Amino acid sequence: MNQTTSEDIMPEKTSLWIFGYGSLVWKPDFKFRMSKVGYIQGYKRRFWHGDNFHRGDKDMPGRVVTLVEDDDACTWGVAYEVKGTEIEESLKYLNTREAVLGGYITKVVEFIPRDGGHLPHLALVYIATCDNPIYLGPASPEEIAAQITTCRGKTGHNIEYLLRLVQFMRLYCPEVEDEHLFSIEAATLSLMPYMLGSKQAIHAIATA
Ligand SMILES: N[C@@H](CCC(=O)N[C@@H](CS)C(=O)NCC(=O)O)C(=O)O
């Protein structure tokens, strides 16, 4: 009898798309074949999820993004194509990083590539819902900024998380006006006058 190989279980031609809209846009940390910038419809990105591991701790949870249903909204990010036997490995990694440590669940959404040459296709996305124990919910940009500037976790400072997402949007989606994200960035930068308002200094510290 022939041995069952991983190729039998997950043929090379099988592909899975994973959509990232938070830390996954700058740090996927799993093997992927290709990536595309684009968006999903029906969701808005909000800094309404708590994080007591990566960017905060149990006493001072940080603030990270999740998706909130909104028929009139869309969220920009990156879709990554994973193929063949790398699918199992990437899902195992993301399950730990997103679900176990982050409290996210998975949903299947339609991803629309910005490059019109590619057709929309389905993608897996990790979302933290409001029934999650570390979900923090809505707050003003000022309240969110005050929390972000004071939190740090095992992966780094919460400011880095914010500024890397801002960096991604400005670099790859310059045409998109993400008022929620940029109002939190402005509130965060205004909390640090001692840095003489230098964005470079803040970026240097946050991404050190
Ligand atoms: N699921 C969102 C958010 C992912 C996210 O930011 N998850 C946190 C877990 S709470 C994380 O992985 N953080 C790693 C980091 O902060 O560098 C995405 O698709 O990007």
Side-chain angles (χ1 to χ4, degrees), residues 53-94:
F53 180 82
H54 293 284
R55 301 292 169 167
D57 60 29
K58 301 233 179 305
D59 300 322
M60 292 177 68
R63 279 234 181 208
V64 293
V65 291
T66 185
L67 294 177
V68 180
E69 290 184 6
D70 178 338
D71 291 342
D72 302 327
C74 67
T75 295
W76 284 76
V78 181
Y80 301 94
E81 184 184 31
V82 186
K83 295 196 83 163
T85 55
E86 292 166 356
I87 291 176
E88 185 183 3
E89 185 186 318
S90 62
L91 290 178
K92 194 173 167 196
Y93 163 72
L94 286 168

mmCIF file of all heavy atoms in Angstrom, residues 53-94:
data_model
loop_
_atom_site.group_PDB
_atom_site.id
_atom_site.type_symbol
_atom_site.label_atom_id
_atom_site.label_comp_id
_atom_site.label_asym_id
_atom_site.label_seq_id
_atom_site.Cartn_x
_atom_site.Cartn_y
_atom_site.Cartn_z
ATOM 1 N N PHE A 53 -0.464 40.407 26.131
ATOM 2 C CA PHE A 53 0.731 39.591 25.894
ATOM 3 C C PHE A 53 1.736 40.337 25.017
ATOM 4 O O PHE A 53 2.803 40.723 25.445
ATOM 5 C CB PHE A 53 0.352 38.243 25.243
ATOM 6 C CG PHE A 53 1.544 37.361 24.970
ATOM 7 C CD1 PHE A 53 2.089 36.574 25.984
ATOM 8 C CD2 PHE A 53 2.157 37.358 23.721
ATOM 9 C CE1 PHE A 53 3.206 35.777 25.744
ATOM 10 C CE2 PHE A 53 3.286 36.569 23.477
ATOM 11 C CZ PHE A 53 3.809 35.779 24.488
ATOM 12 N N HIS A 54 1.330 40.562 23.746
ATOM 13 C CA HIS A 54 2.292 41.131 22.778
ATOM 14 C C HIS A 54 2.645 42.588 23.090
ATOM 15 O O HIS A 54 3.786 42.988 23.014
ATOM 16 C CB HIS A 54 1.699 41.071 21.370
ATOM 17 C CG HIS A 54 1.526 39.679 20.845
ATOM 18 N ND1 HIS A 54 2.561 38.905 20.392
ATOM 19 C CD2 HIS A 54 0.415 38.909 20.694
ATOM 20 C CE1 HIS A 54 2.109 37.733 19.976
ATOM 21 N NE2 HIS A 54 0.811 37.707 20.140
ATOM 22 N N ARG A 55 1.648 43.410 23.404
ATOM 23 C CA ARG A 55 1.874 44.869 23.537
ATOM 24 C C ARG A 55 1.398 45.394 24.897
ATOM 25 O O ARG A 55 1.219 46.606 25.041
ATOM 26 C CB ARG A 55 1.156 45.610 22.399
ATOM 27 C CG ARG A 55 1.625 45.182 21.019
ATOM 28 C CD ARG A 55 3.057 45.586 20.714
ATOM 29 N NE ARG A 55 3.557 44.933 19.502
ATOM 30 C CZ ARG A 55 4.670 45.305 18.878
ATOM 31 N NH1 ARG A 55 5.366 46.313 19.317
ATOM 32 N NH2 ARG A 55 5.098 44.631 17.839
ATOM 33 N N GLY A 56 1.165 44.473 25.827
ATOM 34 C CA GLY A 56 0.728 44.891 27.160
ATOM 35 C C GLY A 56 0.882 43.720 28.111
ATOM 36 O O GLY A 56 1.434 42.668 27.743
ATOM 37 N N ASP A 57 0.412 43.892 29.336
ATOM 38 C CA ASP A 57 0.454 42.758 30.287
ATOM 39 C C ASP A 57 -0.865 42.753 31.051
ATOM 40 O O ASP A 57 -1.768 43.541 30.779
ATOM 41 C CB ASP A 57 1.670 42.863 31.213
ATOM 42 C CG ASP A 57 1.658 44.160 32.040
ATOM 43 O OD1 ASP A 57 0.553 44.676 32.332
ATOM 44 O OD2 ASP A 57 2.753 44.661 32.351
ATOM 45 N N LYS A 58 -0.966 41.846 32.008
ATOM 46 C CA LYS A 58 -2.266 41.648 32.685
ATOM 47 C C LYS A 58 -2.688 42.911 33.448
ATOM 48 O O LYS A 58 -3.849 43.245 33.559
ATOM 49 C CB LYS A 58 -2.171 40.442 33.634
ATOM 50 C CG LYS A 58 -1.794 39.137 32.939
ATOM 51 C CD LYS A 58 -2.752 38.004 33.236
ATOM 52 C CE LYS A 58 -2.375 36.711 32.528
ATOM 53 N NZ LYS A 58 -2.235 36.856 31.058
ATOM 54 N N ASP A 59 -1.677 43.630 33.973
ATOM 55 C CA ASP A 59 -2.016 44.840 34.748
ATOM 56 C C ASP A 59 -2.300 46.028 33.822
ATOM 57 O O ASP A 59 -3.161 46.845 34.090
ATOM 58 C CB ASP A 59 -0.848 45.203 35.691
ATOM 59 C CG ASP A 59 -0.572 44.053 36.668
ATOM 60 O OD1 ASP A 59 -1.561 43.429 37.110
ATOM 61 O OD2 ASP A 59 0.619 43.753 36.920
ATOM 62 N N MET A 60 -1.524 46.086 32.722
ATOM 63 C CA MET A 60 -1.711 47.225 31.790
ATOM 64 C C MET A 60 -1.850 46.686 30.363
ATOM 65 O O MET A 60 -0.857 46.619 29.622
ATOM 66 C CB MET A 60 -0.525 48.184 31.889
ATOM 67 C CG MET A 60 -0.430 48.934 33.201
ATOM 68 S SD MET A 60 1.054 49.969 33.241
ATOM 69 C CE MET A 60 0.633 51.193 31.973
ATOM 70 N N PRO A 61 -3.058 46.218 30.012
ATOM 71 C CA PRO A 61 -3.239 45.693 28.650
ATOM 72 C C PRO A 61 -3.053 46.807 27.606
ATOM 73 O O PRO A 61 -3.490 47.939 27.823
ATOM 74 C CB PRO A 61 -4.682 45.175 28.644
ATOM 75 C CG PRO A 61 -5.360 45.886 29.760
ATOM 76 C CD PRO A 61 -4.319 46.183 30.795
ATOM 77 N N GLY A 62 -2.393 46.435 26.520
ATOM 78 C CA GLY A 62 -2.241 47.403 25.434
ATOM 79 C C GLY A 62 -3.507 47.435 24.589
ATOM 80 O O GLY A 62 -4.491 46.755 24.873
ATOM 81 N N ARG A 63 -3.462 48.279 23.539
ATOM 82 C CA ARG A 63 -4.599 48.374 22.601
ATOM 83 C C ARG A 63 -4.116 47.958 21.219
ATOM 84 O O ARG A 63 -3.151 48.511 20.686
ATOM 85 C CB ARG A 63 -5.140 49.802 22.533
ATOM 86 C CG ARG A 63 -6.081 50.143 23.673
ATOM 87 C CD ARG A 63 -7.399 50.661 23.154
ATOM 88 N NE ARG A 63 -8.299 51.000 24.273
ATOM 89 C CZ ARG A 63 -9.612 50.950 24.178
ATOM 90 N NH1 ARG A 63 -10.160 50.600 23.036
ATOM 91 N NH2 ARG A 63 -10.388 51.220 25.195
ATOM 92 N N VAL A 64 -4.808 46.969 20.612
ATOM 93 C CA VAL A 64 -4.492 46.526 19.252
ATOM 94 C C VAL A 64 -5.786 46.549 18.437
ATOM 95 O O VAL A 64 -6.865 46.788 18.978
ATOM 96 C CB VAL A 64 -3.847 45.124 19.244
ATOM 97 C CG1 VAL A 64 -2.466 45.157 19.890
ATOM 98 C CG2 VAL A 64 -4.752 44.102 19.929
ATOM 99 N N VAL A 65 -5.642 46.289 17.139
ATOM 100 C CA VAL A 65 -6.830 46.454 16.286
ATOM 101 C C VAL A 65 -7.620 45.165 16.137
ATOM 102 O O VAL A 65 -7.095 44.057 16.258
ATOM 103 C CB VAL A 65 -6.439 46.982 14.893
ATOM 104 C CG1 VAL A 65 -5.952 48.426 15.004
ATOM 105 C CG2 VAL A 65 -5.420 46.092 14.211
ATOM 106 N N THR A 66 -8.872 45.355 15.881
ATOM 107 C CA THR A 66 -9.764 44.273 15.469
ATOM 108 C C THR A 66 -10.681 44.856 14.401
ATOM 109 O O THR A 66 -10.527 46.006 14.003
ATOM 110 C CB THR A 66 -10.563 43.696 16.652
ATOM 111 O OG1 THR A 66 -11.309 42.567 16.164
ATOM 112 C CG2 THR A 66 -11.506 44.725 17.263
ATOM 113 N N LEU A 67 -11.605 44.038 13.935
ATOM 114 C CA LEU A 67 -12.563 44.497 12.915
ATOM 115 C C LEU A 67 -13.950 44.521 13.522
ATOM 116 O O LEU A 67 -14.329 43.623 14.283
ATOM 117 C CB LEU A 67 -12.546 43.549 11.707
ATOM 118 C CG LEU A 67 -11.259 43.511 10.880
ATOM 119 C CD1 LEU A 67 -11.367 42.465 9.771
ATOM 120 C CD2 LEU A 67 -10.930 44.874 10.319
ATOM 121 N N VAL A 68 -14.705 45.566 13.186
ATOM 122 C CA VAL A 68 -16.082 45.721 13.666
ATOM 123 C C VAL A 68 -16.983 45.815 12.438
ATOM 124 O O VAL A 68 -16.661 46.536 11.474
ATOM 125 C CB VAL A 68 -16.208 47.001 14.525
ATOM 126 C CG1 VAL A 68 -17.628 47.197 15.031
ATOM 127 C CG2 VAL A 68 -15.227 46.944 15.701
ATOM 128 N N GLU A 69 -18.066 45.055 12.444
ATOM 129 C CA GLU A 69 -18.960 45.047 11.281
ATOM 130 C C GLU A 69 -19.557 46.432 11.040
ATOM 131 O O GLU A 69 -20.025 47.093 11.965
ATOM 132 C CB GLU A 69 -20.070 44.008 11.482
ATOM 133 C CG GLU A 69 -19.546 42.569 11.403
ATOM 134 C CD GLU A 69 -20.674 41.544 11.514
ATOM 135 O OE1 GLU A 69 -21.847 41.952 11.527
ATOM 136 O OE2 GLU A 69 -20.350 40.342 11.630
ATOM 137 N N ASP A 70 -19.513 46.856 9.772
ATOM 138 C CA ASP A 70 -20.088 48.148 9.376
ATOM 139 C C ASP A 70 -20.286 48.082 7.860
ATOM 140 O O ASP A 70 -19.314 48.114 7.100
ATOM 141 C CB ASP A 70 -19.134 49.286 9.750
ATOM 142 C CG ASP A 70 -19.681 50.647 9.313
ATOM 143 O OD1 ASP A 70 -20.535 50.690 8.392
ATOM 144 O OD2 ASP A 70 -19.239 51.663 9.895
ATOM 145 N N ASP A 71 -21.546 47.986 7.443
ATOM 146 C CA ASP A 71 -21.835 47.781 6.007
ATOM 147 C C ASP A 71 -21.239 48.869 5.116
ATOM 148 O O ASP A 71 -20.955 48.637 3.943
ATOM 149 C CB ASP A 71 -23.364 47.731 5.780
ATOM 150 C CG ASP A 71 -23.967 46.461 6.394
ATOM 151 O OD1 ASP A 71 -23.165 45.524 6.661
ATOM 152 O OD2 ASP A 71 -25.178 46.425 6.628
ATOM 153 N N ASP A 72 -21.066 50.067 5.681
ATOM 154 C CA ASP A 72 -20.574 51.171 4.844
ATOM 155 C C ASP A 72 -19.055 51.313 4.860
ATOM 156 O O ASP A 72 -18.517 52.233 4.250
ATOM 157 C CB ASP A 72 -21.196 52.494 5.332
ATOM 158 C CG ASP A 72 -22.713 52.430 5.292
ATOM 159 O OD1 ASP A 72 -23.238 51.745 4.381
ATOM 160 O OD2 ASP A 72 -23.376 52.996 6.185
ATOM 161 N N ALA A 73 -18.378 50.403 5.573
ATOM 162 C CA ALA A 73 -16.931 50.596 5.743
ATOM 163 C C ALA A 73 -16.123 49.573 4.950
ATOM 164 O O ALA A 73 -16.661 48.551 4.497
ATOM 165 C CB ALA A 73 -16.565 50.472 7.224
ATOM 166 N N CYS A 74 -14.851 49.873 4.780
ATOM 167 C CA CYS A 74 -13.926 48.856 4.263
ATOM 168 C C CYS A 74 -12.598 49.019 5.000
ATOM 169 O O CYS A 74 -12.331 50.082 5.577
ATOM 170 C CB CYS A 74 -13.743 48.981 2.760
ATOM 171 S SG CYS A 74 -12.906 50.450 2.227
ATOM 172 N N THR A 75 -11.847 47.957 5.048
ATOM 173 C CA THR A 75 -10.552 47.967 5.758
ATOM 174 C C THR A 75 -9.446 47.499 4.821
ATOM 175 O O THR A 75 -9.574 46.442 4.193
ATOM 176 C CB THR A 75 -10.608 47.046 6.994
ATOM 177 O OG1 THR A 75 -11.562 47.576 7.929
ATOM 178 C CG2 THR A 75 -9.251 46.952 7.680
ATOM 179 N N TRP A 76 -8.398 48.285 4.765
ATOM 180 C CA TRP A 76 -7.261 47.989 3.883
ATOM 181 C C TRP A 76 -6.193 47.204 4.647
ATOM 182 O O TRP A 76 -5.985 47.418 5.859
ATOM 183 C CB TRP A 76 -6.662 49.277 3.341
ATOM 184 C CG TRP A 76 -7.485 49.882 2.262
ATOM 185 C CD1 TRP A 76 -8.656 50.578 2.421
ATOM 186 C CD2 TRP A 76 -7.247 49.817 0.856
ATOM 187 N NE1 TRP A 76 -9.153 50.957 1.201
ATOM 188 C CE2 TRP A 76 -8.308 50.518 0.213
ATOM 189 C CE3 TRP A 76 -6.247 49.249 0.061
ATOM 190 C CZ2 TRP A 76 -8.388 50.659 -1.174
ATOM 191 C CZ3 TRP A 76 -6.322 49.387 -1.323
ATOM 192 C CH2 TRP A 76 -7.377 50.087 -1.930
ATOM 193 N N GLY A 77 -5.532 46.310 3.926
ATOM 194 C CA GLY A 77 -4.460 45.501 4.531
ATOM 195 C C GLY A 77 -3.747 44.709 3.465
ATOM 196 O O GLY A 77 -3.680 45.134 2.292
ATOM 197 N N VAL A 78 -3.248 43.564 3.862
ATOM 198 C CA VAL A 78 -2.465 42.712 2.948
ATOM 199 C C VAL A 78 -3.016 41.293 2.982
ATOM 200 O O VAL A 78 -3.303 40.761 4.060
ATOM 201 C CB VAL A 78 -0.969 42.655 3.369
ATOM 202 C CG1 VAL A 78 -0.169 41.792 2.409
ATOM 203 C CG2 VAL A 78 -0.381 44.042 3.463
ATOM 204 N N ALA A 79 -3.161 40.682 1.796
ATOM 205 C CA ALA A 79 -3.544 39.264 1.730
ATOM 206 C C ALA A 79 -2.302 38.462 1.337
ATOM 207 O O ALA A 79 -1.538 38.861 0.443
ATOM 208 C CB ALA A 79 -4.649 39.048 0.704
ATOM 209 N N TYR A 80 -2.098 37.368 2.025
ATOM 210 C CA TYR A 80 -0.927 36.519 1.803
ATOM 211 C C TYR A 80 -1.386 35.158 1.283
ATOM 212 O O TYR A 80 -2.320 34.569 1.852
ATOM 213 C CB TYR A 80 -0.161 36.299 3.111
ATOM 214 C CG TYR A 80 0.336 37.559 3.769
ATOM 215 C CD1 TYR A 80 -0.411 38.199 4.758
ATOM 216 C CD2 TYR A 80 1.559 38.125 3.419
ATOM 217 C CE1 TYR A 80 0.038 39.359 5.377
ATOM 218 C CE2 TYR A 80 2.023 39.290 4.022
ATOM 219 C CZ TYR A 80 1.259 39.898 4.996
ATOM 220 O OH TYR A 80 1.713 41.052 5.613
ATOM 221 N N GLU A 81 -0.735 34.664 0.222
ATOM 222 C CA GLU A 81 -1.079 33.346 -0.307
ATOM 223 C C GLU A 81 -0.130 32.303 0.268
ATOM 224 O O GLU A 81 1.090 32.421 0.150
ATOM 225 C CB GLU A 81 -0.985 33.302 -1.835
ATOM 226 C CG GLU A 81 -1.444 31.942 -2.374
ATOM 227 C CD GLU A 81 -1.272 31.802 -3.880
ATOM 228 O OE1 GLU A 81 -0.338 32.414 -4.428
ATOM 229 O OE2 GLU A 81 -2.088 31.082 -4.511
ATOM 230 N N VAL A 82 -0.719 31.302 0.933
ATOM 231 C CA VAL A 82 0.063 30.204 1.502
ATOM 232 C C VAL A 82 -0.312 28.953 0.703
ATOM 233 O O VAL A 82 -1.481 28.765 0.353
ATOM 234 C CB VAL A 82 -0.277 30.018 2.997
ATOM 235 C CG1 VAL A 82 0.625 28.980 3.635
ATOM 236 C CG2 VAL A 82 -0.128 31.349 3.734
ATOM 237 N N LYS A 83 0.682 28.109 0.409
ATOM 238 C CA LYS A 83 0.382 26.961 -0.461
ATOM 239 C C LYS A 83 0.868 25.642 0.119
ATOM 240 O O LYS A 83 1.800 25.608 0.933
ATOM 241 C CB LYS A 83 1.049 27.157 -1.840
ATOM 242 C CG LYS A 83 0.483 28.339 -2.609
ATOM 243 C CD LYS A 83 0.824 28.316 -4.087
ATOM 244 C CE LYS A 83 -0.126 27.427 -4.862
ATOM 245 N NZ LYS A 83 -0.083 27.683 -6.324
ATOM 246 N N GLY A 84 0.202 24.576 -0.296
ATOM 247 C CA GLY A 84 0.644 23.203 -0.024
ATOM 248 C C GLY A 84 0.870 22.939 1.455
ATOM 249 O O GLY A 84 0.068 23.320 2.312
ATOM 250 N N THR A 85 1.979 22.336 1.739
ATOM 251 C CA THR A 85 2.223 21.886 3.117
ATOM 252 C C THR A 85 2.497 23.057 4.058
ATOM 253 O O THR A 85 2.469 22.894 5.274
ATOM 254 C CB THR A 85 3.460 20.942 3.135
ATOM 255 O OG1 THR A 85 4.545 21.656 2.525
ATOM 256 C CG2 THR A 85 3.172 19.656 2.378
ATOM 257 N N GLU A 86 2.745 24.239 3.512
ATOM 258 C CA GLU A 86 2.981 25.416 4.378
ATOM 259 C C GLU A 86 1.683 25.919 5.015
ATOM 260 O O GLU A 86 1.701 26.700 5.960
ATOM 261 C CB GLU A 86 3.655 26.536 3.580
ATOM 262 C CG GLU A 86 5.081 26.185 3.171
ATOM 263 C CD GLU A 86 5.647 27.116 2.103
ATOM 264 O OE1 GLU A 86 4.885 27.999 1.625
ATOM 265 O OE2 GLU A 86 6.823 26.972 1.746
ATOM 266 N N ILE A 87 0.537 25.451 4.476
ATOM 267 C CA ILE A 87 -0.755 25.900 5.026
ATOM 268 C C ILE A 87 -0.899 25.454 6.484
ATOM 269 O O ILE A 87 -1.204 26.256 7.378
ATOM 270 C CB ILE A 87 -1.913 25.362 4.168
ATOM 271 C CG1 ILE A 87 -1.915 26.037 2.794
ATOM 272 C CG2 ILE A 87 -3.252 25.560 4.891
ATOM 273 C CD1 ILE A 87 -2.951 25.518 1.824
ATOM 274 N N GLU A 88 -0.628 24.184 6.726
ATOM 275 C CA GLU A 88 -0.795 23.653 8.088
ATOM 276 C C GLU A 88 0.126 24.383 9.063
ATOM 277 O O GLU A 88 -0.295 24.806 10.145
ATOM 278 C CB GLU A 88 -0.481 22.156 8.102
ATOM 279 C CG GLU A 88 -0.737 21.502 9.456
ATOM 280 C CD GLU A 88 -0.339 20.020 9.476
ATOM 281 O OE1 GLU A 88 0.189 19.527 8.462
ATOM 282 O OE2 GLU A 88 -0.565 19.384 10.519
ATOM 283 N N GLU A 89 1.361 24.625 8.616
ATOM 284 C CA GLU A 89 2.363 25.271 9.485
ATOM 285 C C GLU A 89 1.936 26.714 9.800
ATOM 286 O O GLU A 89 1.984 27.155 10.951
ATOM 287 C CB GLU A 89 3.695 25.258 8.726
ATOM 288 C CG GLU A 89 4.906 25.757 9.463
ATOM 289 C CD GLU A 89 6.117 25.820 8.505
ATOM 290 O OE1 GLU A 89 6.297 24.877 7.700
ATOM 291 O OE2 GLU A 89 6.832 26.835 8.558
ATOM 292 N N SER A 90 1.434 27.410 8.793
ATOM 293 C CA SER A 90 1.064 28.827 9.020
ATOM 294 C C SER A 90 -0.166 28.919 9.919
ATOM 295 O O SER A 90 -0.240 29.773 10.812
ATOM 296 C CB SER A 90 0.797 29.528 7.690
ATOM 297 O OG SER A 90 -0.277 28.922 7.017
ATOM 298 N N LEU A 91 -1.119 28.013 9.714
ATOM 299 C CA LEU A 91 -2.328 28.049 10.559
ATOM 300 C C LEU A 91 -2.001 27.698 12.011
ATOM 301 O O LEU A 91 -2.550 28.289 12.944
ATOM 302 C CB LEU A 91 -3.396 27.099 9.997
ATOM 303 C CG LEU A 91 -4.033 27.534 8.679
ATOM 304 C CD1 LEU A 91 -5.034 26.494 8.198
ATOM 305 C CD2 LEU A 91 -4.703 28.898 8.828
ATOM 306 N N LYS A 92 -1.051 26.780 12.178
ATOM 307 C CA LYS A 92 -0.654 26.396 13.548
ATOM 308 C C LYS A 92 -0.009 27.606 14.243
ATOM 309 O O LYS A 92 -0.331 27.949 15.375
ATOM 310 C CB LYS A 92 0.338 25.230 13.459
ATOM 311 C CG LYS A 92 0.583 24.515 14.758
ATOM 312 C CD LYS A 92 1.440 23.270 14.534
ATOM 313 C CE LYS A 92 1.962 22.725 15.867
ATOM 314 N NZ LYS A 92 3.073 21.780 15.672
ATOM 315 N N TYR A 93 0.852 28.304 13.485
ATOM 316 C CA TYR A 93 1.543 29.478 14.057
ATOM 317 C C TYR A 93 0.518 30.573 14.395
ATOM 318 O O TYR A 93 0.501 31.126 15.492
ATOM 319 C CB TYR A 93 2.568 29.995 13.050
ATOM 320 C CG TYR A 93 3.033 31.396 13.354
ATOM 321 C CD1 TYR A 93 3.869 31.656 14.436
ATOM 322 C CD2 TYR A 93 2.591 32.464 12.586
ATOM 323 C CE1 TYR A 93 4.267 32.949 14.742
ATOM 324 C CE2 TYR A 93 2.981 33.771 12.891
ATOM 325 C CZ TYR A 93 3.808 34.006 13.959
ATOM 326 O OH TYR A 93 4.191 35.297 14.266
ATOM 327 N N LEU A 94 -0.372 30.852 13.446
ATOM 328 C CA LEU A 94 -1.337 31.940 13.656
ATOM 329 C C LEU A 94 -2.331 31.591 14.751
ATOM 330 O O LEU A 94 -2.814 32.470 15.482
ATOM 331 C CB LEU A 94 -2.054 32.254 12.344
ATOM 332 C CG LEU A 94 -1.193 33.000 11.323
ATOM 333 C CD1 LEU A 94 -1.886 33.013 9.957
ATOM 334 C CD2 LEU A 94 -0.895 34.431 11.792
#
